[in-house]
C-alpha cells in the first residue's frame, strides 16, 4: 500500500503564552508500496509528531494523509490498519510469548486453528521458535523486542510504523536487529516508516532516508545518494563525517587550495563553491607535490584510523585511512602530505 503525505503540518499551542510550535511544517512525502522510509533528524525536528499523525494519535493541523486511495485524516488509529512498534516493548508481563503475540488476533476473534497457523509462521520468522511458553521476564531485551515485532506483523498490517524501536538495546544487538527488521520487512513487503535519530541505523535499514530539521524535509534519498550528494551542510554533517572546503567552480572543475580538480560543474554551481570531501576522500602520504599538513591527532579504530590534520591551505581536516594494517600509520606532530580524490568531491547547493 502506498502512503501519501500531502502538505501536512502540525501546530501545537504554546503552554506558556509564547509562540506556537510548528512541529511539522508543510511536509510532502510518498512512501511506495513495500518501501521502508526512515525519518531521520535531531531531537525536536518533528519526526515523532509526523509518525504519530500517520498512526492517527495526532490530528494534522493542515494537509491530508492517504493510505492508498483512502483519506485517513478522520479515521481512528485502530481502523487504519497500521501498527506501531516502539522502544518500550509494551508486552504483557503475565502472558507468555505465544499469548503476547496472539493477543491482537484473539481480540479480532480469529479461530484457534487460524491463530496457530499464523503464529507458527511469524514466530519462526522473528527467531523465537521454541520460546513460545516463556514469560517476558525469561527473555533478553532483544527477544522482547522480537515479541513486539512479531505481535505487530502477525496482524498483517498494511503499514508498519517504528518509533526508535532499538534504542533500549546495546550496540551489538542493535546491529543484529537492524538486519533482522530489514529482512523481515522485505520478506513481508509491508510499507514501513521508521523513526530514528541514529544515522547508522537509518543508513543500514532504509530504502530511502528523509532528513528532517525544524519540522521540514531537508533532503530525501537513498542512503548512497545522501552520503555522496548531500544538498547542504546540515545533511552532509548529519549523514556521516564531512570536511567542508571553500573553492571556486568554473566549467570543467573546481579550484581548492590553489590546485585544480576536474569535475562536472552545473551552470548553477559556477562561482564560489562549498565542496564536501568525506574523510575517506582524503589520502595521506609522504609523497611531495600535494598539500603539506601536520598530524594533530591519530585515533586507531581497528578497521580505520581517523586523523585530524592541520593544513595551511585547507584548514583542519578529518581524514580516514581505511585498511590501516596494510599501510603506514602517521603520528601526531609528523609532517605529511594530503591529496584529494577528485571523483569523491561534491559541491553543495548555494544557500
Ligand atoms: P525526539 O527525537 O526528541 O523525540 P522529534 O524529532 O521526534 O524529537 P517531536 O517529538 O516530533 O520531535 O517534537 C517536535 C517539536 O514539537 C518539538 O519542539 C516539541 O517540543 C514539540 N512538541 C511535540 N509534542 C508536543 C505537544 N504535545 N505539545 C507541544 N509541543 C509539542
Amino acid at each position: 500500500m502506498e502512503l501519501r503525505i500531502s502538505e501536512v503540518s502540525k501546530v501545537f499551542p504554546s503552554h506558556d503564552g509564547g509562540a506556537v510550535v510548528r512541529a511539522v511544517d508543510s511536509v510532502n512525502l510518498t512512501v511506495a508500496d513495500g518501501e521502508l522510509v526512515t525519518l531521520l533528524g535531531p531531537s525536536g525536528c518533528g519526526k515523532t509528531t509526523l509518525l504519530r499523525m500517520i498512526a492517527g494519535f495526532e490530528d494534522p493541523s493542515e494537509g491530508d494523509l492517504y493510505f492508498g486511495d483512502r483519506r485517513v485524516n478522520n479515521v481512528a488509529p485502530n481502523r487504519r490498519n497500521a501498527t506501531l512498534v516502539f522502544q518500550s516493548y509494551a508486552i504483557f508481563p503475565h502472558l507468555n510469548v505465544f499469548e503476547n503475540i496472539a493477543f491482537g488476533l484473539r481480540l479480532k476473534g480469529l479461530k484457534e486453528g487460524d491463530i496457530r497457523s499464523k503464529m507458527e509462521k511469524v514466530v519462526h520468522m522473528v527467531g523465537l521458535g521454541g520460546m513460545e511458553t516463556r514469560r517476558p521476564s525469561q527473555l533478553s531485551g532483544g527477544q522482547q523486542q522480537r515479541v513486539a515485532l512479531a505481535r505487530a506483523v502477525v496482524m498483517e498490517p498494511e503499514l508498519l510504523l517504528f518509533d526508535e524501536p532499538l534504542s533500549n538495546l546495546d550496540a551489538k544487538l542493535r546491529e543484529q536487529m537492524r538486519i533482522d527488521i530489514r529482512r523481515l520487512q522485505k520478506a513481508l513487503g509491508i510499507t514501513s516508516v521508521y523513526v530514528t535519530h541514529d544515522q547508522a541505523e537509518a543508513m543500514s535499514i532504509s530504502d530511502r532516508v528523509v532528513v528532517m530539521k525544524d519540522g521540514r524535509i531537508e533532503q530525501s534519498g537513498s542512503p548512497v545518494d545522501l552520503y555522496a550528494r548531500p544538498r547542504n551542510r546540515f545533511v552532509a554533517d548529519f549523514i556521516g563525517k564531512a570536511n567542508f572546503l571553500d573553492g571556486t567552480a568554473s566549467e570543467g572543475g573546481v579550484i581548492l587550495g590553489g590546485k585544480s580538480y576536474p569535475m562536472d560543474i552545473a551552470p548553477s554551481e559556477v562561482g564560489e563553491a562549498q565542496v564536501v570531501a568525506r574523510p575517506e576522500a582524503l589520502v595521506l602520504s609522504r609523497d611531495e607535490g600535494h598539500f603539506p599538513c601536520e598530524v594533530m591527532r591519530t585515533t586507531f579504530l581497528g578497521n580505520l584510523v581517523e586523523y585530524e590534520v592541520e593544513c595551511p591551505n585547507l584548514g583542519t581536516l578529518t581524514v580516514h585511512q581505511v585498511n590501516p594494517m596494510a599501510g603506514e600509520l602517521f603520528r601526531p606532530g609528523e609532517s605529511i602530505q594530503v591529496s584529494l580524490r577528485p571523483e569523491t568531491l561534491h559541491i553543495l547547493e548555494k544557500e
Side-chain angles (χ1 to χ4, degrees):
M1 183 201 70
E2 180 187 273
L3 164 69
R4 193 154 62 82
I5 300 167
S6 173
E7 287 294 324
V8 164
S9 298
K10 180 69 190 182
V11 180
F12 288 113
S14 69
H15 292 297
D16 50 8
V20 296
V21 180
R22 218 170 168 80
V24 173
D25 192 4
S26 311
V27 164
N28 288 297
L29 177 66
T30 301
V31 182
D33 186 29
E35 192 182 23
L36 191 157
V37 167
T38 296
L39 308 178
L40 174 71
S43 183
C45 72
K47 53 196 187 299
T48 308
T49 303
L50 184 55
L51 193 78
R52 287 174 56 79
M53 287 193 282
I54 299 168
F57 300 129
E58 278 314 335
D59 291 327
S61 310
E62 292 152 26
D64 298 302
L65 291 162
Y66 294 93
F67 286 14
D69 295 331
R70 187 162 73 120
R71 184 175 177 274
V72 294
N73 284 50
N74 302 314
V75 178
N78 60 346
R79 300 199 168 271
R80 288 195 184 191
N81 208 4
T83 32
L84 181 63
V85 182
F86 42 97
Q87 57 163 289
S88 51
Y89 318 111
I91 55 179
F92 302 114
H94 60 287
L95 296 181
N96 67 23
V97 167
F98 186 97
E99 290 305 327
N100 258 292
I101 301 173
F103 188 79
L105 298 177
R106 290 204 194 288
L107 273 186
K108 263 185 151 179
L110 260 72
K111 292 203 199 74
E112 195 60 31
D114 294 339
I115 291 177
R116 296 228 160 246
S117 67
K118 280 185 196 290
M119 288 289 296
E120 199 156 319
K121 190 169 137 216
V122 168
V123 164
H124 284 97
M125 262 186 153
V126 300
L128 288 172
M131 298 186 197
E132 291 88 338
T133 57
R134 289 209 203 167
R135 293 289 173 101
S137 60
Q138 298 168 311
L139 299 174
S140 69
Q143 288 162 342
Q144 290 183 40
Q145 189 53 270
R146 283 166 203 274
V147 173
L149 190 59
R151 201 169 64 176
V153 302
V154 82
M155 301 304 289
E156 298 170 3
E158 291 178 301
L159 188 61
L160 266 176
L161 305 173
F162 296 91
D163 189 3
E164 309 238 5
L166 307 182
S167 42
N168 281 348
L169 307 178
D170 67 54
K172 258 228 143 52
L173 197 51
R174 228 163 36 220
E175 263 178 48
Q176 185 56 46
M177 285 300 290
R178 284 177 199 162
I179 296 168
D180 290 350
I181 290 177
R182 174 80 185 158
R183 191 166 34 83
L184 188 69
Q185 189 270 340
K186 280 293 148 225
L188 297 169
I190 305 176
T191 310
S192 302
V193 181
Y194 192 105
V195 161
T196 182
H197 61 266
D198 179 339
Q199 61 97 10
E201 193 164 308
M203 301 281 272
S204 61
I205 211 165
S206 315
D207 294 308
R208 195 147 53 96
V209 179
V210 171
V211 180
M212 292 183 66
K213 182 189 169 200
D214 299 336
R216 291 178 157 272
I217 294 179
E218 287 286 307
Q219 190 172 359
S220 149
S222 70
V224 173
D225 236 14
L226 291 187
Y227 189 78
R229 290 173 289 279
R231 267 179 59 189
N232 56 29
R233 208 173 162 126
F234 178 81
V235 175
D237 250 341
F238 210 82
I239 305 274
K241 296 194 174 178
N243 296 294
F244 299 101
L245 308 172
D246 292 324
T248 311
S250 54
E251 206 181 311
V254 63
I255 295 169
L256 294 167
K259 289 186 198 300
S260 180
Y261 293 89
M263 267 178 96
D264 288 333
I265 302 293
S268 63
E269 293 171 335
V270 169
E272 278 183 25
Q274 189 148 71
V275 177
V276 179
R278 295 294 185 184
E280 64 279 8
L282 307 175
V283 183
L284 299 186
S285 72
R286 297 194 193 279
D287 303 341
E288 292 297 318
H290 305 295
F291 294 105
C293 307
E294 185 186 342
V295 178
M296 308 306 288
R297 176 174 60 82
T298 302
T299 310
F300 181 69
L301 295 165
N303 59 335
L304 61 85
V305 178
E306 181 174 282
Y307 296 97
E308 188 183 303
V309 300
E310 189 72 52
C311 312
N313 294 321
L314 299 174
T316 304
L317 303 174
T318 302
V319 182
H320 284 174
Q321 181 183 14
V322 291
N323 196 11
M325 307 313 278
E328 185 187 1
L329 298 191
F330 305 99
R331 289 174 210 295
E334 278 193 76
S335 296
I336 41 95
Q337 300 256 328
V338 168
S339 54
L340 310 176
R341 297 184 216 267
E343 71 279 8
T344 58
L345 300 176
H346 169 72
I347 295 181
L348 297 179
E349 281 180 10
K350 291 197 186 351
E351 308 230 344

